[in-house]
Amino acid sequence: MSERINICFIGCGRFVRNFIPLFKAHPFVESVSVCDILKDRADAYGAEFGVSRVFYDFNDVLKDSKINAVAIFTQRQLHAPLTIAALKADKNVYSAVPTGLTVEEIQEIEQLVREKRLIFSSGETGAYRACSVFCRNKILSGEMKNFVYGEAQYNHDMRHFYDSYKHSGGEDWKKVAGFPPMLYPTHSTSMILSCLPGVYAKKVAAFGYRERQDTDIFGENGQNYWNNPYSNTSALLQLSNGGIARISENRRIGWHAPQSYISNFHTETASYEFSVMHHYYSTWDPEDPKKIILTEVSDLLNPPELQARINDPAMVQECGRGFGFVMTSPIQPQKRIPKELDGLRNGHNGTHKFMCDDFCRSVQTGKLSPTNIWQAARFNIPGIIAHQSAMRDGETMTVPDLGNPPADWEVLPF
Ligand SMILES: NC(=O)c1ccc[n+]([C@@H]2O[C@H](COP(=O)([O-])OP(=O)(O)OC[C@H]3O[C@@H](n4cnc5c(N)ncnc54)[C@H](O)[C@@H]3O)[C@@H](O)[C@H]2O)c1
């Protein structure tokens, strides 16, 4: 299969502006359109980005036979129903995270993808962050063997979401902002699981933190549509390879950045640890098996602009405020990104271009994206069950797994 991509972006909100230029520039893309139910937003993006067509109704996009792909950038709770409708209309789908909020809707997406052999690619940025690439490379090379334990987290305080939620939420924005953090678990789960091919969560036990100070967004008295009391939730996952992962999704925390990262990743043969700006790797000394060789590997994982100033005391402050968001790291496989995307704005540690390229390569070749629905389910479902576990005061629960991709469908590597 070699298919030119005619894509329509669904939702002209704040985040999508980072992606329209990337897809427009990608050599496999023939045309880009936009759609929003809010006419002024659709018109504004249509004019700003010089797109092929502007739509105001998702159903009109589905009826358009020239459009063979949609990219869903609506609010987080709206993705799965749109994905399901698009797949039913024979469109390939790129979806911002999360893929869905219930196991049932993710199962339905999986069934449609499997039966129709359409492309679904999750826009999960965590899989390409420098720490994930580093640990994955070490696992794939065999240097890291037998995963034991890892910790990953997505710390994003609610105060930095206020404007985002107000943008589309109107007067009721707090009711959406109180979304359970574990229904958006992929920035932490993906980091551990994308390093461990074929591995999935078998069991989960989670605990939530109930708001004490500001109870206007998170709470069980109708503050939000989910009656969700938790602003922060941490989960312990038992993995199918025998390892253990701790993931945390924190939305009320005295911290800004680094925001989404692996803090440690231990295997029997080697380990990775990180704090703020410093990345370390340790292996057993072949000359003396009782001694560890501990090496700082920050030059591989930090963007060069940060690394150059790692000893500048001001850099700690800048890093804590989010320095490096749009920047790339030497460890990331930048060479595979088409040159047409050079110079365009990137984001989330330079991962946006990988998200765009994975989807485009996938549709063009007919091969599965690395963040295909089977992998996306493994990133999403542990969080859905973690929230249920937290609501049951930490009860250990089984995590459903949708299995591996069909054996006759090749998966593009990360
Ligand atoms: N790191 C990441 O991966 C990351 C970062 C930021 C945002 N996101 C995700 O991106 C998505 C978009 O976020 P945002 O901040 O841009 O949201 P937003 O609220 O600014 O925009 C959403 C837009 O979708 C439109 N919309 C809703 N239903 C529609 C429909 N049926 N048809 C057409 N348009 C419709 C709304 O009118 C709105 O303009 C969210 O799911 C968010 O979670 C992911």
Side-chain angles (χ1 to χ4, degrees):
M1 184 158 100
S2 174
E3 200 171 351
R4 298 281 293 159
I5 300 168
N6 292 285
I7 192 165
C8 184
F9 286 88
I10 313 300
C12 298
R14 292 159 68 103
F15 191 45
V16 73
R17 63 164 43 257
N18 296 296
F19 287 86
I20 298 173
L22 300 180
F23 278 82
K24 266 197 86 174
H26 199 286
F28 297 162
V29 174
E30 185 172 281
S31 75
V32 167
S33 300
V34 294
C35 170
D36 202 297
I37 44 176
L38 300 178
K39 187 174 180 304
D40 54 339
R41 289 191 187 177
D43 286 341
Y45 274 18
E48 180 177 347
F49 295 110
V51 301
S52 291
R53 287 195 63 189
V54 178
F55 293 87
Y56 312 112
D57 185 336
F58 178 61
N59 292 312
D60 291 340
V61 179
L62 299 188
K63 283 183 216 146
D64 190 312
S65 58
K66 190 182 173 203
I67 289 174
N68 59 2
V70 294
I72 295 171
F73 280 84
T74 56
Q75 294 92 317
R76 57 200 64 191
Q77 70 277 15
L78 303 176
H79 300 164
L82 298 177
T83 297
I84 290 166
L87 291 168
K88 285 183 177 167
D90 296 321
K91 311 294 183 198
N92 299 291
V93 177
Y94 173 100
S95 173
V97 288
T99 297
L101 304 192
T102 66
V103 176
E104 291 72 23
E105 54 191 15
I106 296 173
Q107 280 171 326
E108 189 174 350
I109 295 169
E110 187 270 340
Q111 188 184 349
L112 284 164
V113 168
R114 184 165 29 86
E115 287 174 4
K116 289 181 167 259
R117 302 285 280 203
L118 288 163
I119 297 305
F120 171 88
S121 189
S122 168
E124 176 42 58
T125 47
Y128 283 107
R129 281 189 178 263
C131 53
S132 311
V133 176
F134 180 84
C135 293
R136 184 162 60 241
N137 288 353
K138 294 293 186 192
I139 288 279
L140 293 176
S141 73
E143 243 183 87
M144 280 185 150
K145 215 177 271 172
N146 297 338
F147 173 79
V148 175
Y149 177 76
E151 297 177 349
Q153 48 275 308
Y154 173 43
N155 295 328
H156 198 157
D157 192 87
M158 183 45 70
R159 74 189 70 197
H160 286 147
F161 279 117
Y162 290 167
D163 288 343
S164 302
Y165 282 112
K166 283 178 190 166
H167 185 59
S168 295
E171 285 184 6
D172 274 348
W173 69 270
K174 289 183 181 174
K175 287 189 182 293
V176 181
F179 188 84
M182 274 292 166
L183 296 190
Y184 190 108
T186 57
H187 291 342
S188 52
T189 52
S190 66
M191 295 210 176
I192 304 283
L193 293 174
S194 70
C195 301
L196 302 169
V199 172
Y200 55 92
K202 287 174 73 176
K203 287 187 180 172
V204 62
F207 293 97
Y209 173 86
R210 281 171 201 271
E211 279 295 285
R212 281 186 254 178
Q213 219 167 274
D214 302 307
T215 53
D216 54 336
I217 292 180
F218 300 102
E220 279 173 295
N221 299 310
Q223 285 95 325
N224 60 70
Y225 292 129
W226 294 267
N227 232 12
N228 164 48
Y230 302 132
S231 50
N232 307 318
T233 305
S234 288
L236 212 51
L237 307 177
Q238 183 197 53
L239 304 183
S240 59
N241 62 354
I244 300 156
R246 191 275 295 147
I247 56 158
S248 297
E249 292 291 335
N250 296 322
R251 303 291 171 268
R252 279 273 193 230
I253 184 168
W255 185 264
H256 176 188
Q259 217 168 42
S260 184
Y261 56 96
I262 299 174
S263 41
N264 55 47
F265 188 98
H266 298 285
T267 69
E268 285 188 21
T269 54
S271 292
Y272 161 82
E273 290 240 3
F274 167 68
S275 180
V276 188
M277 297 190 293
H278 294 274
H279 304 260
Y280 296 95
Y281 182 61
S282 67
T283 50
W284 292 110
D285 186 344
E287 307 290 316
D288 182 349
K290 284 189 179 166
K291 277 192 185 154
I292 267 295
I293 301 172
L294 183 61
T295 317
E296 178 152 10
V297 290
S298 302
D299 56 338
L300 283 175
L301 285 96
N302 284 333
E305 299 87 335
L306 189 163
Q307 186 65 18
R309 292 177 50 207
I310 199 163
N311 296 320
D312 174 355
M315 187 39 105
V316 180
Q317 182 71 271
E318 289 181 43
C319 200
R321 291 184 175 169
F323 183 90
F325 179 77
V326 299
M327 296 169 189
T328 59
S329 301
I331 190 87
Q332 294 169 313
Q334 301 295 340
K335 283 200 184 110
R336 65 158 245 218
I337 301 294
K339 61 176 179 357
E340 289 84 347
L341 275 63
D342 284 357
L344 294 176
R345 184 184 151 86
N346 218 327
H348 291 91
N349 183 199
T351 57
H352 292 179
K353 291 183 183 176
F354 292 110
M355 302 286 94
C356 165
D357 188 49
D358 278 349
F359 179 75
C360 294
R361 287 192 305 146
S362 184
V363 175
Q364 217 261 348
T365 60
K367 296 176 185 171
L368 286 167
S369 157
T371 53
N372 58 69
I373 186 59
W374 292 275
Q375 185 63 74
R378 287 173 171 172
F379 292 165
N380 277 254
I381 294 176
I384 296 172
I385 309 299
H387 180 60
Q388 293 171 11
S389 166
M391 292 303 288
R392 297 184 196 185
D393 204 23
E395 183 183 317
T396 302
M397 297 181 70
T398 299
V399 180
D401 179 52
L402 305 193
N404 294 316
D408 65 345
W409 205 348
E410 191 181 335
V411 184
L412 294 168
F414 277 112

